[in-house]
Amino acid sequence: MGNIELQLVKYAKVVDHFILERLSGSPENLYKAALHLVKAGGKRLRPAIAMLIARMLDGIEGEARAIPLAAAIETSHTFTLIHDDIMDRDDFRRGVPTVHKTWGESWAILAGDLLHAYSYNFIVSSVEYGLTKSEAHEAMRILTTAGIKVSRGQAYDLLFEKTWDVSVVDYLDMVFHKTGAMMEASAKLGALAGKAGADVIELMGQYGSFLGVAFQIRDDYLGVFGDPAKTGKPIYGDLRRGKKTLIVIYAVNSLKGGDRDFLVRILDPNVEKDEESLARAAELIRKSGAEKEALNLARIYADRAKEIVGRLKNVADEEAREALIVLADYAVERER
Amino acid sequence: MGNIELQLVKYAKVVDHFILERLSGSPENLYKAALHLVKAGGKRLRPAIAMLIARMLDGIEGEARAIPLAAAIETSHTFTLIHDDIMDRDDFRRGVPTVHKTWGESWAILAGDLLHAYSYNFIVSSVEYGLTKSEAHEAMRILTTAGIKVSRGQAYDLLFEKTWDVSVVDYLDMVFHKTGAMMEASAKLGALAGKAGADVIELMGQYGSFLGVAFQIRDDYLGVFGDPAKTGKPIYGDLRRGKKTLIVIYAVNSLKGGDRDFLVRILDPNVEKDEESLARAAELIRKSGAEKEALNLARIYADRAKEIVGRLKNVADEEAREALIVLADYAVERER
């Protein structure tokens, strides 16, 4: 696990350098707001997926070609975080106050829009890094497809806050859009930079998509049981907002009587709740077996991702393949 | 003037058809929110610029190639309207309640983000309409450049609300970004669809940019002196929010003593104001000569746009050239 975190840091440096180099301009406040979360850190999992896949398929040349694509994905991801934090009324992210908390909502909307435009601009730059215009066109198609899916996934997430009519299948469909789509795009862009054919691009997309869903289920788990000092997010945030996460759906399905009623009431976003009742809700979720069930499903998706990368023939770099396998484990074992 | 409005309607139909055909999906509410302002009408000036320039340069084949690019521009423009309305707390647009007033802020942010992603997706589609991948790449560069400028222009607009340190030059720079950049992109994309070389693309960009600034100055004028039944916007909206529009800057520069103090106080966004004092502020602006001065400057920019199109050699369609000249007049004479 320590090793893969070092890999992430290595790629983070390369991608951050690209982003910081190009994301400057006036007015200063706008660019400060846009770079706020970039500078606050983050795991840079999405760029790492792109760059590792490019390296696995075409060595260090592939890796170098992936830089602007990895930067585009991270920039697009950051834009969605800024806007999601406004919608979710979140005050903290990556251990720092969110963009709208620091600069106000208008600036957060604009900073997100600016990053969104830059993410496509970075795809345009990919021809400077060795992609053909035809490949850049394909890269654009991959990113716009993901962008549309992410908006739709977030819309489902908002809708689910207001209803109990959410099945495990509904949840998974939402997560395949909200989180899976951007990781799928990361993986496809990495494969494109690695000069892969359409079939391998598609296969790598599946790796990214499965890893994304596994990652999100772990995220939901950390949202209830994680250590805020490690996650950088306030404790019980998802419970407060009544998010229909997988552990919550499992728990409500298996709890009975007063326990179930208590959890359902806590998850009503309109009900005032104190720390103590949130802690009791978390305890009920643990008691229900939902925690274990959710982590099992995350493990299944992570294993599918590992299997896809494991069975690939003729890879250029075995170390990168190994790192992609460890990355899938990291997605479901991480504490932050 | 009637004739050019008919032209706009003709192009609106083609572009709206393209947009409505492709902008469908789930959840339904998200797509409804995204299409709300598209369905509410609008002048479709930006698509018309693209399509007329394409026709002028390469006849009906050029015009057909411009369709997805024109749709991309209109979609991108609509996304900025939805987000700007949130920032400006505007309740009405195109004669209907704004998106955030109808669906709430979260959905308005998301609907804008969805349209933003689709606008780039439409550029990707341009290869289905006869653009080469290399041209599609150039189109992407044009749109991302404009997207970045528009965010920056809107940021300046927000900053200017809080200060009186705004010169005419500052205002023009803001407007070249906020409004000029997207019209510049419309014109460049039209030229690209018309198979123009780099120099003509650049020249057409200037046409769009000048027309955009002229259009915005007229917009500022209509914001104070326009008929709400025609503009579809509430009366005195810009004055209420303390927008530093050109007429306001001119008026504050030329008024003296109590009149100046009164106008400055009215333009403080934190000061409560009634209809009567807003009407008095409008009257002071008229009395100061600012109205005439602003419209003169708009006319100068419109004339520069006309001159650029007028002196172009070897155009394929003289009628389209004529329409582009009339369009520049329309930008500064329109009542809605």
Side-chain angles (χ1 to χ4, degrees):
Chain A
M1 207 57 74
N3 213 352
I4 193 70
E5 288 190 335
L6 279 180
Q7 292 254 17
L8 290 176
V9 169
K10 188 186 96 178
Y11 287 128
K13 276 189 187 160
V14 177
V15 169
D16 287 7
H17 180 77
F18 182 97
I19 294 173
L20 295 172
E21 186 104 314
R22 291 179 185 238
L23 255 161
S24 71
S26 62
E28 207 188 334
N29 257 357
L30 177 65
Y31 282 84
K32 268 194 187 165
L35 288 172
H36 179 66
L37 286 184
V38 175
K39 290 186 174 166
K43 292 173 283 292
R44 305 289 191 272
L45 192 61
R46 291 157 191 84
I49 290 173
M51 296 188 71
L52 281 170
I53 288 179
R55 178 148 70 95
M56 172 178 73
L57 296 174
D58 198 33
I60 53 163
E61 284 180 37
E63 187 180 283
R65 275 194 297 269
I67 295 171
L69 305 178
I73 285 281
E74 187 61 22
T75 305
S76 184
H77 173 58
T78 309
F79 127 66
T80 63
L81 295 181
I82 295 175
H83 282 188
D84 287 4
D85 285 342
I86 304 173
M87 296 178 220
D88 291 344
R89 313 260 150 230
D90 277 332
D91 294 348
F92 283 90
R93 158 91 63 187
R94 294 179 176 171
V96 296
T98 47
V99 177
H100 67 278
K101 269 281 151 186
T102 312
W103 280 275
E105 241 185 76
S106 293
W107 289 88
I109 293 173
L110 261 186
D113 293 343
L114 183 79
L115 290 174
H116 197 174
Y118 268 103
S119 71
Y120 290 108
N121 190 262
F122 292 165
I123 298 279
V124 173
S125 307
S126 63
V127 297
E128 300 163 27
Y129 280 72
L131 259 70
T132 65
K133 284 183 179 172
S134 176
E135 285 163 349
H137 182 262
E138 183 57 25
M140 194 60 79
R141 198 152 66 90
I142 292 168
L143 190 61
T144 63
T145 305
I148 292 165
K149 280 191 187 167
V150 170
S151 291
R152 293 176 54 206
Q154 174 68 4
Y156 275 115
D157 205 14
L158 289 182
L159 282 178
F160 291 174
E161 284 179 15
K162 304 217 164 132
T163 175
W164 272 106
D165 192 17
V166 182
S167 68
V168 172
V169 172
D170 293 333
Y171 167 87
L172 288 173
D173 184 53
M174 181 271 284
V175 165
F176 266 110
H177 283 83
K178 197 180 99 162
T179 313
M182 201 52 87
M183 301 248 192
E184 179 187 1
S186 301
K188 284 183 168 180
L189 291 174
L192 190 71
K195 302 281 176 189
D199 51 340
V200 172
I201 292 177
E202 208 47 52
L203 209 58
M204 289 303 99
Q206 284 178 29
Y207 166 85
S209 180
F210 289 144
L211 188 144
V213 173
F215 177 89
Q216 184 61 52
I217 296 173
R218 180 73 184 180
D219 219 54
D220 294 348
Y221 162 83
L222 291 174
V224 178
F225 300 110
D227 174 359
K230 288 182 185 160
T231 63
K233 294 174 195 168
I235 196 163
Y236 306 139
D238 288 350
L239 294 181
R240 261 179 234 278
R241 282 194 310 275
K243 287 264 176 201
K244 300 302 180 303
T245 62
L246 188 62
I247 38 175
V248 158
I249 296 169
Y250 277 144
V252 169
N253 284 349
S254 68
L255 287 170
K256 287 190 175 62
D259 285 351
R260 184 183 185 281
D261 293 346
F262 180 84
L263 185 58
V264 167
R265 203 169 53 249
I266 282 290
L267 288 161
D268 182 337
N270 298 317
V271 166
E272 282 285 318
K273 42 216 126 187
D274 54 20
E275 201 82 352
E276 202 184 329
S277 24
L278 287 164
R280 197 188 145 202
E283 199 39 51
L284 283 175
I285 292 171
R286 196 188 289 273
K287 203 183 90 180
S288 75
E291 176 199 355
K292 221 182 136 197
E293 211 168 344
L295 293 180
N296 278 345
L297 189 60
R299 170 49 69 191
I300 288 169
Y301 280 112
D303 285 346
R304 286 173 76 175
K306 285 164 72 173
E307 198 215 335
I308 288 169
V309 163
R311 71 167 187 241
L312 207 65
K313 292 204 178 82
N314 307 322
V315 307
D317 186 324
E318 282 295 343
E319 253 181 66
R321 187 214 295 265
E322 198 46 48
L324 285 162
I325 289 171
V326 177
L327 203 61
D329 286 330
Y330 170 77
V332 293
E333 291 170 17
R334 69 200 169 88
E335 296 294 341
R336 62 200 189 96
Chain B
M1 204 58 74
N3 213 352
I4 194 70
E5 289 190 334
L6 279 179
Q7 292 254 18
L8 291 175
V9 169
K10 187 186 98 179
Y11 287 128
K13 276 189 187 161
V14 176
V15 169
D16 286 6
H17 180 78
F18 182 98
I19 294 173
L20 295 172
E21 186 104 314
R22 291 179 185 238
L23 255 161
S24 70
S26 61
E28 207 188 334
N29 257 355
L30 178 64
Y31 282 84
K32 268 194 189 165
L35 287 172
H36 179 65
L37 286 185
V38 175
K39 290 186 174 165
K43 292 173 283 292
R44 304 289 191 272
L45 192 61
R46 291 157 190 82
I49 290 173
M51 296 188 72
L52 281 170
I53 288 179
R55 179 149 68 96
M56 172 178 73
L57 297 174
D58 198 33
I60 53 164
E61 284 181 35
E63 186 180 284
R65 275 194 298 269
I67 295 172
L69 306 177
I73 285 281
E74 186 62 21
T75 305
S76 184
H77 172 59
T78 309
F79 128 65
T80 63
L81 295 182
I82 295 175
H83 283 188
D84 287 2
D85 284 342
I86 304 174
M87 296 177 220
D88 290 344
R89 313 259 151 232
D90 277 332
D91 294 349
F92 282 90
R93 157 92 63 188
R94 294 179 176 171
V96 297
T98 47
V99 177
H100 66 279
K101 270 282 151 185
T102 312
W103 280 274
E105 239 184 77
S106 293
W107 288 88
I109 293 173
L110 262 186
D113 292 344
L114 183 78
L115 290 175
H116 198 173
Y118 268 103
S119 71
Y120 290 108
N121 189 261
F122 291 165
I123 298 278
V124 173
S125 307
S126 63
V127 298
E128 302 164 25
Y129 279 72
L131 258 70
T132 65
K133 284 184 179 171
S134 176
E135 286 163 348
H137 182 262
E138 184 57 24
M140 194 60 80
R141 200 156 64 89
I142 291 168
L143 190 61
T144 63
T145 304
I148 291 165
K149 280 191 188 168
V150 170
S151 290
R152 294 176 54 207
Q154 174 68 4
Y156 274 115
D157 204 15
L158 289 181
L159 281 178
F160 291 174
E161 285 179 14
K162 303 214 165 135
T163 175
W164 272 106
D165 191 16
V166 182
S167 67
V168 172
V169 172
D170 293 333
Y171 167 87
L172 288 173
D173 185 53
M174 180 271 282
V175 164
F176 267 110
H177 283 83
K178 198 180 99 163
T179 313
M182 202 52 89
M183 301 247 191
E184 180 187 0
S186 301
K188 283 183 167 180
L189 290 174
L192 191 71
K195 302 282 178 190
D199 50 341
V200 172
I201 292 177
E202 209 47 52
L203 209 56
M204 289 302 99
Q206 283 178 30
Y207 166 85
S209 181
F210 289 143
L211 188 146
V213 173
F215 177 89
Q216 184 61 52
I217 297 173
R218 180 73 184 180
D219 219 54
D220 294 348
Y221 162 83
L222 291 174
V224 179
F225 300 111
D227 174 1
K230 289 183 185 159
T231 63
K233 294 174 194 168
I235 197 164
Y236 305 140
D238 288 351
L239 293 181
R240 260 179 235 279
R241 284 192 310 275
K243 287 265 178 203
K244 300 302 181 302
T245 62
L246 188 61
I247 38 174
V248 158
I249 296 169
Y250 276 144
V252 169
N253 284 350
S254 69
L255 287 170
K256 287 191 174 61
D259 285 351
R260 183 181 186 283
D261 293 347
F262 180 84
L263 185 59
V264 167
R265 203 170 51 249
I266 282 290
L267 289 161
D268 182 338
N270 299 316
V271 167
E272 283 284 320
K273 42 216 125 188
D274 53 21
E275 200 82 354
E276 202 185 328
S277 25
L278 287 164
R280 194 184 148 205
E283 200 38 52
L284 283 176
I285 292 172
R286 196 187 290 271
K287 202 182 90 178
S288 75
E291 176 199 355
K292 221 181 135 197
E293 211 168 345
L295 292 180
N296 278 346
L297 190 60
R299 170 50 68 192
I300 288 170
Y301 281 113
D303 285 347
R304 287 172 76 174
K306 285 164 71 173
E307 198 215 336
I308 287 169
V309 164
R311 71 169 186 239
L312 209 65
K313 293 205 178 80
N314 307 323
V315 306
D317 187 323
E318 282 294 343
E319 253 181 67
R321 187 214 295 263
E322 197 47 47
L324 285 161
I325 289 172
V326 177
L327 203 62
D329 286 330
Y330 171 76
V332 292
E333 291 169 17
R334 70 202 169 86
E335 295 295 340
R336 63 201 188 96

